């Protein structure tokens, strides 16, 4: 805590130097690491993240003008100023201030407000950017909480998380809500099983004596700056629609792979077999997807795909569905092992995390050579009884 106190003092001094006044309040939102449950929240499945000490910290002063002034303690991020009543978010430029604007606009629209007071804000973050630790989502959450506080309004943590998850999509990222949920709902000393529809969090007690090491591959990936993230989202959406179509469901109403399982009323293991029987491992072209669904290429592009995935030439539907259903099963297995606490608990959890990385690397292709090498080094030098590893969200690859 002394380190955090020093940050507050330094931030206060920098704020005074920047704006010629002192902050009226501070807001903090942590980053997160995902223990298991990679890339399945936007498919409707539960995930198991925990918050980390690294965070976003914002010093705030409401002002009587209607101008929103944003500054950052990091000189790499330039100052920004705009009217609080005319928020424009450029999806083509994922600049740092746009993430603040997402949270600001989300709260503004939730309450249906057309006129907002201005504010001076100084942002300080110590989450490594584009490292998979949710620095961008932490900033969105911070901005949402800042705006709520300035307005003098009240919302539950769950409501805030849901609003911030939706508002981050203003910048073009089709996320699922895990990052924002754990940022608001995290508690010290426990991981959380985050479930969706409705959003809820359950404590998961991790094994005592086990240490989770968060290692940075030093490869950056800004998910809003490329289409890689959204391509995976769309591949999962298309896989869900094809599976639904082949199983006689109303496929045009289906968006997530979890919905297919729920409508069929089968287990995750059965969904893996259905995927094997229904989808082929070879990539699907847009034309083949259209033939399978009985729609035109224009309908595919305008009614199903996101703007930055409309020109994608191939979709790996089989691989993405296989990862999602197997990863969703691993989340439930992980929670069950934590609850039952067998003697070989750490080894069993490590095996699940190793399986998760292998699936992320081979089936979902969201790892990269640097992360794979880091995994190999850690496992080689680790304890043979519990040599577990999961690349978590430190992936720099697509």
């Amino acid at each position: 805590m002394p380190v955090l106190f020093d940050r507050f003092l330094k931030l206060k001094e920098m704020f005074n130097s920047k704006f010629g006044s002192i902050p009226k309040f501070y807001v903090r939102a942590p980053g997160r690491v995902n223990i298991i449950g990679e890339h399945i929240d936007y498919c409707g499945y539960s995930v198991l993240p925990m918050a980390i000490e690294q965070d976003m910290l914002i010093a705030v002063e409401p002002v009587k003008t209607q101008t929103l002034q944003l500054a950052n303690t990091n000189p790499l991020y330039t100052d920004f100023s705009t009217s609080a009543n005319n928020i424009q978010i450029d999806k083509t430029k994922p600049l740092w201030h746009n993430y603040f604007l997402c949270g600001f606009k989300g709260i503004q629209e939730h309450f249906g407000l057309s006129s907002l007071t201005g504010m001076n804000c100084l942002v300080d973050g110590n989450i490594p950017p584009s490292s998979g630790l949710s620095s961008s989502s932490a900033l969105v959450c911070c901005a949402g909480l800042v705006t709520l506080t300035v307005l003098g309004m009240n919302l539950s943590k769950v409501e805030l998380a849901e609003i911030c998850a939706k508002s981050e999509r203003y910048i073009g990222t089709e996320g699922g809500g895990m990052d924002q949920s754990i940022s608001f709902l995290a508690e010290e000393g426990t991981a959380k099983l985050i479930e969706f529809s409705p959003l809820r969090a359950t404590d998961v007690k991790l094994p005592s004596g086990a240490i989770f090491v968060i290692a940075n591959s030093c490869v950056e990936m800004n998910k809003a700056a490329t289409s890689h993230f959204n391509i995976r989202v769309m591949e999962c959406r298309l896989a869900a629609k094809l599976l639904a179509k082949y199983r006689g469901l109303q496929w045009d109403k289906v968006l997530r792979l979890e919905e297919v399982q729920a409508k069929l009323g089968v287990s995750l293991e059965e969904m893996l077999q259905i995927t094997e029987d229904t989808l082929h491992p070879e990539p699907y072209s847009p034309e083949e997807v259209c033939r399978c669904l009985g729609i035109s290429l224009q309908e595919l592009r305008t009614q199903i795909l996101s703007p930055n995935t409309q020109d994608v030439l191939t979709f790996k539907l089989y691989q993405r569905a296989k990862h999602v259903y197997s990863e969703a099963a691993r989340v439930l297995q992980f929670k069950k092992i934590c609850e039952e606490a067998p003697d070989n608990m750490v080894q069993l959890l490590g095996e699940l995390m190793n399986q998760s990385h292998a699936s992320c690397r081979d089936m979902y292709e969201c790892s990269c050579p640097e992360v794979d090498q880091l995994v190999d080094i850690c496992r080689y030098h680790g304890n043979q009884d519990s040599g577990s590893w999961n690349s978590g969200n430190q992936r720099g690859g697509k």
Side-chain angles (χ1 to χ4, degrees), residues 12 40 54 68 108 134 155 168 212 233 242 249 259 265 269 283 329 366 391:
K12 181 180 178 180
I40 62 174
Q54 287 76 14
L68 179 62
Q108 179 187 34
S134 296
L155 290 170
E168 191 165 335
F212 290 82
V233 178
L242 262 66
L249 301 176
E259 296 174 50
E269 290 71 23
C366 58
S391 60

Side-chain angles (χ1 to χ4, degrees), residues 315-341:
F315 300 100
K316 295 185 179 181
L317 309 187
Y318 168 88
Q319 291 84 351
R320 309 317 184 216
K322 288 276 286 187
H323 167 77
V324 170
Y325 288 129
S326 64
E327 187 77 348
R330 282 187 285 271
V331 169
L332 300 181
Q333 291 166 6
F334 195 101
K335 179 175 181 287
K336 183 180 179 182
I337 292 170
C338 288
E339 292 171 342
E340 296 177 350

Side-chain angles (χ1 to χ4, degrees), residues 137-372:
S137 294
L139 181 52
V140 174
C141 291
C142 238
L145 192 52
V146 163
T147 310
L148 189 71
T149 304
V150 168
L151 292 173
M153 303 287 195
N154 289 305
L155 290 170
S156 69
K157 291 181 179 180
V158 168
E159 289 173 317
L160 260 175
E162 290 178 328
I163 291 169
C164 289
K166 292 176 182 177
S167 65
E168 191 165 335
R169 295 171 191 162
Y170 293 139
I171 208 164
T173 303
E174 300 287 334
M178 171 183 67
D179 301 352
Q180 300 81 5
S181 299
I182 193 63
S183 190
F184 283 118
L185 302 175
E187 294 181 70
E188 186 176 358
T190 181
K192 292 282 188 179
L193 179 76
I194 305 290
E195 301 172 87
F196 304 95
S197 301
L199 176 62
R200 55 205 183 278
T202 306
D203 289 353
V204 176
K205 185 179 179 181
L206 300 173
S208 58
I211 297 174
F212 290 82
V213 178
I214 304 170
N216 193 340
S217 67
C218 298
V219 177
E220 295 187 357
M221 168 61 79
N222 186 329
K223 64 185 180 183
T226 72
S227 61
H228 295 155
F229 182 88
N230 281 356
I231 289 173
R232 298 298 183 276
V233 178
M234 291 304 122
E235 286 175 320
C236 290
R237 181 175 297 178
L238 291 174
K241 289 183 178 297
L242 262 66
L243 289 170
K245 170 86 170 182
Y246 288 133
R247 300 296 292 193
L249 301 176
Q250 193 173 357
W251 66 267
D252 57 320
K253 301 295 184 182
V254 171
L255 293 176
R256 297 185 296 272
L257 286 164
E258 185 276 336
E259 296 174 50
V260 181
Q261 183 198 356
K263 291 179 184 296
L264 293 178
V266 300
S267 67
L268 286 165
E269 290 71 23
E270 288 173 300
M271 281 309 309
L272 283 167
Q273 187 58 53
I274 290 172
T275 300
E276 287 278 356
D277 297 339
T278 305
L279 303 177
H280 56 68
E282 297 77 23
Y284 286 73
S285 67
E287 291 77 13
E288 184 179 5
V289 170
C290 290
R291 286 197 300 271
C292 293
L293 297 179
I295 60 175
S296 68
L297 197 57
Q298 180 68 12
E299 288 173 313
L300 173 67
R301 288 172 173 164
T302 59
Q303 298 179 21
I304 299 178
L305 299 179
S306 61
N308 64 347
T309 61
Q310 291 178 3
D311 296 326
V312 175
L313 299 178
T314 58
F315 300 100
K316 295 185 179 181
L317 309 187
Y318 168 88
Q319 291 84 351
R320 309 317 184 216
K322 288 276 286 187
H323 167 77
V324 170
Y325 288 129
S326 64
E327 187 77 348
R330 282 187 285 271
V331 169
L332 300 181
Q333 291 166 6
F334 195 101
K335 179 175 181 287
K336 183 180 179 182
I337 292 170
C338 288
E339 292 171 342
E340 296 177 350
D343 291 339
N344 60 340
M345 181 179 183
V346 173
Q347 181 181 349
L348 293 174
L349 297 180
E351 289 172 358
L352 287 175
M353 294 172 78
N354 287 332
Q355 292 169 19
S356 175
H357 173 70
S359 183
C360 286
R361 180 192 63 215
D362 301 333
M363 303 304 287
Y364 218 73
E365 297 178 277
C366 58
S367 186
C368 66
E370 293 83 358
V371 168
D372 296 336

Side-chain angles (χ1 to χ4, degrees), residues 87-92 98-99 101-103 105 167 170-171:
I87 299 300
Q88 302 292 326
I89 301 173
D90 188 350
K91 292 183 179 181
T92 65
N98 281 330
Y99 291 100
L101 297 182
C102 285
K105 185 176 181 179
S167 65
Y170 293 139
I171 208 164

